[in-house]
Amino acid sequence: LMNQNFDCVHKDQHAVLKEKQITNLRAEFEQHLLNEQKKGTDEATLAILKAEQELTIKELSDKKKEDLKKTHPVDAVFFYSDPYTKNKVFFNSDLKSYQQTSINPTSIRSTLASLAQSIHCARDSEEWNIRYNCQFSGEVRGLLFLLNHDGKYTSDIRDHFKKKSTSEEQRVIIDNLKIQPNQMIHIMDPATICYLDTIRKDTAYLTSINKFPHPRTDWFFFYPDLKISRPTPDTADSPATIEMILGPFLIIKYKEFERNDESRREKEGFLIYYKLSGTSKEEFLFFLDTLSSYQIFKHNININIRMINPDPHPQFEENFNNAIEHYIENWQLNSESARIFKSINFSLVENFSTRFLTKPILYREL
């Protein structure tokens, strides 16, 4: 069920007086006009924009108190079972398609504040649970899917949350979003969307050259054993958790598979996508040490590391090779262990996706 609003169940906390809504809207509109002036927008366009804003404010002013919005939006709900806890995790999602200039602190602040209210009510709403979670169990999180359809947004989304020397009002202050205790909101920003789209294209390419299996049942997202918990058994149903998607690397394990031409079988292995830029040897040493703690190098199987970064360090390859040599020497690995490390296939993905879609879209098209 998509695009299904549900009634607010915490009206005492979420309802905003009409006067407050008008004040907030005026401040938002004034900032928008100021930004347009700074960009050099002509007076005629500014006049039209201002007239549209005044009309919106008048419509809100004319509304009766009982007609004010007291529902929360739901574009879509996704869920999976966490590989470690086995609990269901639900994502009450807001799917946005913005051009570059629309991705700013004002729009992000407004969207996240709305999401915070939505998941607060979703957790306690019988209406929401009947639609999406008939067992009334699991965790409800917020997910902002922030698509940049013109492909021009190159900033780091985290910069909007950092303190600036200019006005405090120009950034997103997390404490002001009023996210409830034990609830979370995740942002899938334009860079992450392009990263995931690149993975999608690259796995298709690797499949075509017999470096990755085609049947979905022959590969799965890999989760190592932790000290206090163990993941579900390796299976094609294993999800890519939001933590894995937003993390610095993503690990896929695949089974032995038959080549497309049926000439022979390829042995099992790991396909690892690495998101960082490879700035130093130390960066890769930490990465290798993490993989080692996952027992990945205990397997005598293929290890293919594919780096996905739009702006890799000029010496990323040298830094990786130096990290391998340092790791072997520092841990005094025997010849067999050293051979496993030196046989790692490390490469940069060249066909980096810069635009997931090329036009403004509706949630239905996502």
Side-chain angles (χ1 to χ4, degrees), residues 319-364:
N319 290 336
F320 180 80
N321 292 332
N322 289 338
I324 290 288
E325 294 297 333
H326 180 98
Y327 200 90
I328 293 173
E329 181 178 346
N330 186 64
W331 288 100
Q332 299 181 351
L333 300 182
N334 58 40
S335 58
E336 177 58 21
S337 297
R339 185 195 65 78
I340 292 175
F341 272 83
K342 290 185 176 181
S343 65
I344 295 174
N345 184 3
F346 177 77
S347 57
L348 177 70
V349 177
E350 301 288 351
N351 59 335
F352 184 82
S353 178
T354 57
R355 298 178 71 178
F356 175 51
L357 293 173
T358 58
K359 62 178 182 178
I361 57 172
L362 299 174
Y363 69 90
R364 300 175 186 87

Side-chain angles (χ1 to χ4, degrees), residues 210-213 218 253-259 264-270 299-303 336 339-340 343:
N210 294 302
K211 296 295 184 181
F212 193 71
D218 286 347
K253 189 176 181 181
Y254 56 88
K255 303 175 184 177
E256 179 182 310
F257 65 94
E258 191 169 9
R259 293 172 60 91
R264 59 186 175 85
R265 297 185 65 81
E266 296 289 336
K267 68 178 183 178
E268 63 179 326
F270 287 100
H299 305 266
N300 184 22
I301 57 180
N302 291 330
I303 301 175
E336 177 58 21
R339 185 195 65 78
I340 292 175
S343 65

Side-chain angles (χ1 to χ4, degrees), residues 9 45-47 56 92 99 101 115 119-120 128 168-169 187 190 194 196 203 212 223 252 273 279 291 297 315 319:
V9 297
T45 303
L46 288 174
T56 301
N92 192 96
Q99 61 183 10
T101 54
L115 257 180
I119 61 176
H120 181 203
W128 191 95
E168 288 282 320
E169 299 301 321
I187 302 177
C194 289
L196 295 174
T203 51
F212 193 71
Y223 295 93
I252 301 172
Y273 286 103
T279 304
L291 295 182
F297 302 121
Q315 294 181 307
N319 290 336

